[in-house]
Amino acid sequence: MLPDYSRGVDETLRLGFTSLESELDGVELEVRGAVPPEVRGTLYRIGPARLGAYGERYRHWFCGDGMVHAFTFEGGRVRYRNRFVQTRGKLEEDAARRRIHATFGTQASGNALARLKYRFKHHGAKNGANTHVVRHAGRLLALWEGGRPYRIDPETLETLGEEDFGGVLGAKDTFSAHPRIDSATGELWNFGIEHGGRPRLNIYRLGADGVLEKRAKVDLPYAAMIHDCALTPARLVVALSPYTLPTIPVLLMLGQVSYGQQLRWRPQLGLNIMTFDRRTGEVRWFRTDPLLTIHLSHAFDDGADVVLDACAYPDADIMQTFVEIMAGELRTQSRSWMERLRLRADGRVTRERLSPTTLEFPRVEVDVVARPNKLFGVSWGERSPFASVPAAIDTQTGAAQLAPEVAGDWAGECVPVPRGPGAEPWVLTLVLNTAERRSELRVLDGADLKAPPAAVIPLPHVVPMGFHGSWVV
Ligand SMILES: [Fe+2]
């Protein structure tokens, strides 16, 4: 039996962090309002949906088994399908009907000896396949930063297996959950961390033809958790926050703690940012005062400078928040703001806060842009435990517009849907509606988030709070 998290706990947190096991197969959803004609295609969304295994609840939001949700818009109607990603680890646990694996933030089951044995048998943690779902060169990929992608059938959402790109990705290679697609060239760029005695970063280029190449291996100054990257027409940008494993992570090596439990905030290391020249392979490093950047929004070249806009937390307290929301006991409050970091040609870094409005899950309309005018995301509201209110920030002025805050509504990432040249996009967000005890997809007007949604599409269940998604036409 799972512990009872309902007593004395905010109902939004309880609903949003309860496992969803049911899978629906192409059901038509009710549409309240009208779907705009430009919204034709499929929104794929992903997040952890099984938040424990066989009676043992996970500690951390990032641990659960991933589930893909597909909302297909056609002629103003919406079809919905959801499926677990059937990872090797999940299938093993389903066959054994018990928890077997360690996950991002939860150590393996059992006593110290059992955890030690697990470590020597399995080495790493279970691939959660729960962080992002991306379509590229005909492949739909469910991504998790500590392992290889899982390939998904875009129509049925059936799991087709682990993707190694024709043998280029080895069994222990990792492929981050935040690749960036250059819409001008059709290339996808990504990175993967190699931990171990000598932490390194593999840099990947996946051509428009779907062929993957390892472009470089770069030594890292320390074994940081790196979640995201940014891409300009000339460079890939990666930021290393000082949130790191110890030089020798003894407890992790002995299986006594999970990767996430072994990470520590070491502000004395500063924030180190790497730029990688896509053409020449030249690597440059920049250093500035410490920040925790989980999500980068985008970057652009500005003469010889590179400008990076990132969601920045003052420290790593937010990682504790992700443990607390799983336990239904939110105590640690931490917020992030958009920080503009100018990586100057002379090696110096200058910084400014783009807006006084908090933001998480930043999205711009296209993947590579010279200078996006607007970011979409979710902001911390007056009464919200986490970033949960749709927001747009003007990158020129810092002015922000927020959707009206409704107690008990928790909106996830805002995915822009292009409306046409010169027009603001539509914005799709999956919202936990606590009052109605279900999730609903909302279609918002990117030009006016304060307006009532153009359409509200209720789901027959609550989708556990998830992470990222892609709009695919
Ligand atoms: Fe992310």
Side-chain angles (χ1 to χ4, degrees), residues 160-175:
L160 303 176
E162 230 172 333
E163 178 65 62
D164 66 3
F165 300 99
V168 177
L169 284 187
K172 289 186 181 174
D173 279 337
T174 66
F175 193 79

Side-chain angles (χ1 to χ4, degrees), residues 131 178 227 295 468:
T131 314
H178 278 284
H227 181 68
H295 291 123
H468 300 288

Side-chain angles (χ1 to χ4, degrees), residues 88-166:
R88 199 172 59 240
K90 177 176 180 294
L91 291 171
E92 286 168 357
E93 291 180 330
D94 284 343
R97 301 199 59 75
R98 64 184 173 85
R99 182 161 87 90
I100 295 172
H101 291 286
T103 54
F104 168 87
T106 309
Q107 70 274 45
S109 248
N111 61 21
L113 182 61
R115 294 197 294 268
L116 185 66
K117 283 182 178 170
Y118 173 87
R119 174 68 187 177
F120 283 102
K121 188 172 177 192
H122 296 278
H123 305 290
K126 178 170 65 171
N127 186 327
N130 62 14
T131 314
H132 203 347
V133 54
V134 170
R135 180 97 191 248
H136 181 264
R139 296 183 181 100
L140 185 68
L141 301 172
L143 298 161
W144 182 71
E145 69 194 34
R148 296 190 289 195
Y150 272 84
R151 190 161 174 185
I152 306 295
D153 183 305
E155 202 40 54
T156 65
L157 303 186
E158 183 190 346
T159 301
L160 303 176
E162 230 172 333
E163 178 65 62
D164 66 3
F165 300 99

Side-chain angles (χ1 to χ4, degrees), residues 389-403:
V389 182
I393 290 180
D394 184 316
T395 58
Q396 310 298 316
T397 64
Q401 190 187 43
L402 273 68

Side-chain angles (χ1 to χ4, degrees), residues 138-275:
R139 296 183 181 100
L140 185 68
L141 301 172
L143 298 161
W144 182 71
E145 69 194 34
R148 296 190 289 195
Y150 272 84
R151 190 161 174 185
I152 306 295
D153 183 305
E155 202 40 54
T156 65
L157 303 186
E158 183 190 346
T159 301
L160 303 176
E162 230 172 333
E163 178 65 62
D164 66 3
F165 300 99
V168 177
L169 284 187
K172 289 186 181 174
D173 279 337
T174 66
F175 193 79
S176 113
H178 278 284
R180 298 286 178 162
I181 298 171
D182 181 337
S183 45
T185 65
E187 294 165 283
L188 176 151
W189 285 76
N190 200 8
F191 68 91
I193 306 176
E194 274 183 28
H195 285 304
R198 187 177 167 195
R200 291 187 291 192
L201 201 67
N202 282 307
I203 294 177
Y204 300 110
R205 174 192 173 274
L206 182 56
D209 56 3
V211 176
L212 184 73
E213 38 171 342
K214 281 185 181 169
R215 282 300 290 270
K217 203 181 269 290
V218 177
D219 285 322
L220 297 177
Y222 45 86
M225 183 188 91
I226 311 174
H227 181 68
D228 201 353
C229 61
L231 193 67
T232 78
R235 298 175 185 89
L236 181 74
V237 184
V238 173
L240 272 72
S241 299
Y243 190 54
T244 74
L245 293 178
T247 309
I248 303 175
V250 176
L251 293 174
L252 177 63
M253 290 163 71
L254 296 176
Q256 301 309 304
V257 298
S258 63
Y259 172 75
Q261 286 168 293
Q262 184 93 82
L263 291 164
R264 290 287 177 275
W265 180 243
R266 296 168 69 200
Q268 65 275 20
L269 297 172
L271 174 69
N272 290 271
I273 303 165
M274 183 204 76
T275 63

